[in-house]
């Protein structure tokens, strides 16, 4: 596995890779790797001759451009991450410092703007987050020029924004969304889970429980009680609800549904547990639609 800490080293590694591999799959990450990231790498390996993964905690997508506790406390464990990537069969890891990515000021002058799409849901609670994501992902696409790039469905709005980025800015590559990987207790794997105490983790399980109840009700063509689901999270011990919304699975536009669902949808949610903010989502598929799949 080749490790590149600068854009120049990345270019050299890519030249080496391209001399004997045809297609490249890109897996962007912020490190602190877990089985969710490993499943993105596995999907990329299956469809490409070579896999490039990036590890970069991108300050632009955090509050105050990274001048916040969430950025400072974000787990960083490069050596362990490199071992995992090597074991998963990654060919090149790009792990730059902030100044390497954005120059001496650490902030670009020109950004990708995600507009209304980046201002809803996660974006409403994290202003500027998706502009930071789209800006770094556009840079990674230009630096690596992959054939395909892999993103987790765990970050459903991110997938929708990136698909739109590729369409609107004509990036010549395919975006693949990979299903959510969960721990045995049901919690979606996340680098932020490392910061949960045992009590926090137990409290956090209210989120996947509420999502799976909604999925079961949708599958049984039973009426969905979205407000009831919100109330369950508001009343759950140790949990502070940020949002829970029913949205169109492709556009993430809000859906107003009274009664049973008549087409597939997504329920997206965020909660705070202790000092940690967790997100999750679930596909809601009415029985008739599931049979057609
Ligand atoms: P992050 O390092 O948190 O920025 O995540 C890097 C990529 O891994 C993103 O595309 C995430 O959506 C994806 N990812 C994170 N957690 C999971 C998970 N539990 N299952 C599937 N993909 C995930």
């Amino acid at each position: 596995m080749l490790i590149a800490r600068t854009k120049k080293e990345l270019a050299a590694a890519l030249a080496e890779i391209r001399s004997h591999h045809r297609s490249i799959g890109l897996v962007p990450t912020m490190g602190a790797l877990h089985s969710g990231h490993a499943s993105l790498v596995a999907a990329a390996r299956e469809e490409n001759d070579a896999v490039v993964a990036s590890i970069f905690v991108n300050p632009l997508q955090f509050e105050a451009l990274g001048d916040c506790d969430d950025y400072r406390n974000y787990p960083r464990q490069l050596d362990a991450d490199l071992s995992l990537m090597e074991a998963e069969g990654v060919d090149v890891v790009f792990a730059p410092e902030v100044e390497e990515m954005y120059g001496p000021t650490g902030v670009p002058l020109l950004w990708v703007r995600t507009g209304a799409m980046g201002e809803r849901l996660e974006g409403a609670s994290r202003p500027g987050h998706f502009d930071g994501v789209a800006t770094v992902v556009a840079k990674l696409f230009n630096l690596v020029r992959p054939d395909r790039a892999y993103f987790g469905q765990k970050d459903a709005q991110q997938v929708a924004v990136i698909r739109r980025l590729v369409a609107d800015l004509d990036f010549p590559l395919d975006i693949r969304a990979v299903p959510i990987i969960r721990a045995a207790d049901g919690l979606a794997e996340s680098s932020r889970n490392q910061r949960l105490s045992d009590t926090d983790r137990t409290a956090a399980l209210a989120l996947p429980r509420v999502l799976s109840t909604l999925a079961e009700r949708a599958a049984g063509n039973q009426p969905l009680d979205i407000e009831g689901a919100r109330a369950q999270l508001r009343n759950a011990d140790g949990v502070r609800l940020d949002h829970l919304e029913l949205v169109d699975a492709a556009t993430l536009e809000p859906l107003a549904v009274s009664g049973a669902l008549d087409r597939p949808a997504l329920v997206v949610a965020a909660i705070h547990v202790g000092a940690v903010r967790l997100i999750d989502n679930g596909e809601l598929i009415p029985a008739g639609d599931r049979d057609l799949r």
Side-chain angles (χ1 to χ4, degrees):
M1 184 174 79
L2 301 168
I3 299 166
R5 303 302 309 259
T6 64
K7 295 175 186 175
K8 206 169 156 193
E9 287 170 7
L10 176 65
L14 289 170
E16 158 79 12
I17 290 290
R18 287 211 171 83
S19 67
H20 48 269
H21 291 300
R22 281 191 309 276
S23 61
I24 292 181
L26 171 67
V27 178
T29 83
M30 296 204 298
L33 303 177
H34 48 67
S35 54
H37 300 106
S39 87
L40 299 190
V41 171
R45 280 190 58 180
E46 210 165 297
E47 292 187 312
N48 302 276
D49 298 321
V51 175
V52 176
S54 58
I55 299 177
F56 180 60
V57 186
N58 175 34
L60 304 194
Q61 68 193 67
F62 287 78
E63 194 186 332
L65 303 180
D67 188 13
C68 61
D69 286 344
D70 192 25
Y71 177 72
R72 280 188 285 268
N73 297 336
Y74 199 86
R76 290 165 173 87
Q77 46 177 64
L78 187 59
D79 289 344
D81 288 346
L82 292 176
S83 304
L84 190 134
M85 291 211 164
E86 173 111 62
E88 295 298 324
V90 170
D91 297 276
V92 178
V93 174
F94 179 45
E97 297 292 340
V98 171
E99 289 71 23
E100 177 64 16
M101 209 54 180
Y102 296 122
T105 63
V107 182
L109 183 59
L110 300 189
W111 290 54
V112 177
R113 294 278 179 234
T114 55
M117 206 173 180
E119 286 162 11
R120 293 183 294 115
L121 303 169
E122 275 297 283
S125 305
R126 305 182 69 188
H129 169 71
F130 287 107
D131 290 353
V133 169
T135 300
V136 78
V137 168
K139 284 171 75 75
L140 290 169
F141 287 171
N142 283 328
L143 288 165
V144 177
R145 282 167 285 115
D147 298 275
R148 300 175 192 87
Y150 295 78
F151 293 87
Q153 184 60 28
K154 155 104 188 319
D155 299 272
Q157 190 174 6
Q158 174 167 280
V159 171
V161 165
I162 301 292
R163 285 196 193 284
R164 193 62 203 241
L165 167 77
V166 164
D168 284 358
L169 299 189
D170 296 304
F171 280 101
L173 55 92
D174 289 330
I175 298 301
R176 298 279 198 257
V178 177
I180 302 177
I181 301 294
R182 296 180 182 280
D185 61 8
L187 194 65
E189 291 286 5
S190 165
S191 307
R192 289 188 170 89
N193 294 354
Q194 289 186 19
R195 291 166 51 205
L196 295 173
S197 67
D198 289 351
T199 320
D200 289 344
R201 183 161 184 127
T202 306
L205 294 180
L207 179 56
R209 258 201 315 271
V210 164
L211 296 180
S212 76
T213 303
L214 287 171
E216 279 163 30
R217 292 188 70 81
N221 288 341
Q222 292 172 286
L224 294 180
D225 181 5
I226 296 295
E227 200 39 59
R230 287 188 190 118
Q232 272 185 42
L233 287 173
R234 273 194 207 103
N235 296 331
D237 274 348
V239 170
R240 189 157 58 84
L241 176 64
D242 185 304
H243 66 264
L244 181 142
E245 301 288 341
L246 187 67
V247 298
D248 180 276
T251 63
L252 297 197
E253 293 289 341
L255 283 183
V257 169
S258 56
L261 202 60
D262 59 358
R263 60 187 147 142
L266 207 62
V267 57
V268 295
I271 59 171
H272 295 266
V273 180
V276 184
R277 187 170 182 281
L278 297 172
I279 63 170
D280 199 351
N281 67 83
E283 256 193 309
L284 305 186
I285 307 170
D289 281 86
R290 191 177 290 279
D291 297 343
L292 293 176
R293 291 189 161 203

